[in-house]
Amino acid sequence: MSRYDLTDFEWRVIEPILPNKPRGVARVDDRRVLNGIFWVLRSGAPWRDLPERYGPRTTCYNRFVRWRKVGVWDRMMDAITAAHDRDIQMIDSTSVRAHQQAATGKKGDRDHCLGRSRGGLTTKIHAVVDGQGLPIRLSLTAGQSHDGQAADDLLDHVSAGTIVLADKAYDADRIRASLREKGAFANIPPKANRRSKPYFSTWLYRERNLIERFFSKLKHFRRVATRYDKLAENFLAMVQLASMRLWLRVYESTA
């Protein structure tokens, strides 16, 4: 058993969430295919280098893409993160360098969330984590995009009473007003050029280190630390799978 493979506990959590196929030709063993996908995710190796013990690489890659298209990874993410802490949530982003093979799209093709910055071609991963530093919502933008642009969609789930921690990049009247309408509280340090300074708790703000630690754990997965996927949808699916693995580890450690 590879150290990247699903443990028995992780498999017991995932198996009931997988799509059912009551009729037709039986699907190739789901656990073996998922282990192959997680091997690529953790190692960062190309699909063609997938070890033979996981079966044909085309089976693993096709299953990964097909399930992404029909929303299986989205539903798994929602199911696994359903028990998140709603009292305190944090939003931030991190930049990821894109490998040259990720930038092979045709000129004028649709947006693949690739942008140019000082570090070259980059993609930004935006995330909302709960009070334990576990991911709830994820999205991608081009590397040069401002953090606040992704905030509206990522924070649309926030409920009344939630405290949202963020850095100065999210200090915008629009974001603060949206959170107030939901009954949530924004604990965001005000920018220096603000005439009236909203209330800000430095004691609460210390907890924001949890989202930085989440990004550090996320980049242990080499397929996330460097973007190799040309399609933004495939790269986001990899980020989702890495996030789900972090949740499963916490579940197992507390079981």
Side-chain angles (χ1 to χ4, degrees), residues 134-149:
L134 293 169
I136 305 166
R137 304 291 293 275
L138 301 161
S139 71
L140 304 178
T141 63
Q144 78 280 6
S145 299
H146 190 274
D147 287 351
Q149 294 179 5

Side-chain angles (χ1 to χ4, degrees), residues 79-170:
I80 290 173
T81 64
H84 67 265
D85 179 5
R86 290 172 171 80
D87 294 335
I88 295 180
Q89 296 182 14
M90 299 152 236
I91 183 171
D92 205 352
S93 71
T94 187
S95 293
V96 172
R97 287 286 301 272
H99 192 271
Q100 61 183 12
Q101 74 184 42
T104 56
K106 295 180 181 179
K107 188 175 181 180
D109 200 359
R110 71 182 191 278
D111 179 28
H112 292 301
C113 297
L114 286 168
R116 291 200 174 274
S117 60
R118 290 181 181 178
L121 282 174
T122 54
T123 294
K124 263 189 182 178
I125 302 173
H126 301 265
V128 176
V129 304
D130 69 358
Q132 300 180 75
L134 293 169
I136 305 166
R137 304 291 293 275
L138 301 161
S139 71
L140 304 178
T141 63
Q144 78 280 6
S145 299
H146 190 274
D147 287 351
Q149 294 179 5
D152 292 333
D153 290 337
L154 286 176
L155 295 174
D156 64 358
H157 71 289
V158 172
S159 56
T162 300
I163 300 172
V164 177
L165 309 182
D167 61 23
K168 288 184 180 181
Y170 299 90

Side-chain angles (χ1 to χ4, degrees), residues 56-244:
R57 62 181 175 87
T58 52
T59 300
C60 292
Y61 175 75
N62 290 340
R63 183 84 57 87
F64 167 73
V65 173
R66 186 166 61 250
W67 280 5
R68 187 264 299 168
K69 288 180 177 179
V70 299
V72 171
W73 306 132
D74 293 333
R75 291 193 294 274
M76 283 180 62
M77 181 79 181
D78 290 341
I80 290 173
T81 64
H84 67 265
D85 179 5
R86 290 172 171 80
D87 294 335
I88 295 180
Q89 296 182 14
M90 299 152 236
I91 183 171
D92 205 352
S93 71
T94 187
S95 293
V96 172
R97 287 286 301 272
H99 192 271
Q100 61 183 12
Q101 74 184 42
T104 56
K106 295 180 181 179
K107 188 175 181 180
D109 200 359
R110 71 182 191 278
D111 179 28
H112 292 301
C113 297
L114 286 168
R116 291 200 174 274
S117 60
R118 290 181 181 178
L121 282 174
T122 54
T123 294
K124 263 189 182 178
I125 302 173
H126 301 265
V128 176
V129 304
D130 69 358
Q132 300 180 75
L134 293 169
I136 305 166
R137 304 291 293 275
L138 301 161
S139 71
L140 304 178
T141 63
Q144 78 280 6
S145 299
H146 190 274
D147 287 351
Q149 294 179 5
D152 292 333
D153 290 337
L154 286 176
L155 295 174
D156 64 358
H157 71 289
V158 172
S159 56
T162 300
I163 300 172
V164 177
L165 309 182
D167 61 23
K168 288 184 180 181
Y170 299 90
D171 179 26
D173 292 336
R174 169 182 55 81
I175 295 174
R176 290 181 182 274
S178 175
L179 290 173
R180 270 198 309 272
E181 289 173 4
K182 295 178 175 67
F185 173 71
N187 193 62
I188 304 171
K191 293 178 181 176
N193 60 356
R194 268 193 177 273
R195 292 185 180 178
S196 61
K197 308 287 186 183
Y199 175 76
F200 170 67
S201 169
T202 55
W203 180 79
L204 277 174
Y205 191 70
R206 281 184 235 166
E207 296 297 316
R208 209 185 66 83
N209 73 89
L210 288 169
I211 194 166
E212 304 293 349
R213 286 154 66 182
F214 158 67
F215 285 131
S216 176
K217 293 174 186 175
L218 191 66
K219 290 182 179 180
H220 289 176
F221 296 86
R222 298 185 67 185
R223 195 85 185 186
V224 174
T226 301
R227 175 176 168 177
Y228 296 101
D229 296 284
K230 182 173 70 173
L231 298 181
E233 297 93 334
N234 284 351
F235 182 58
L236 180 59
M238 285 292 182
V239 178
Q240 288 176 316
L241 286 167
S243 298
M244 286 186 267

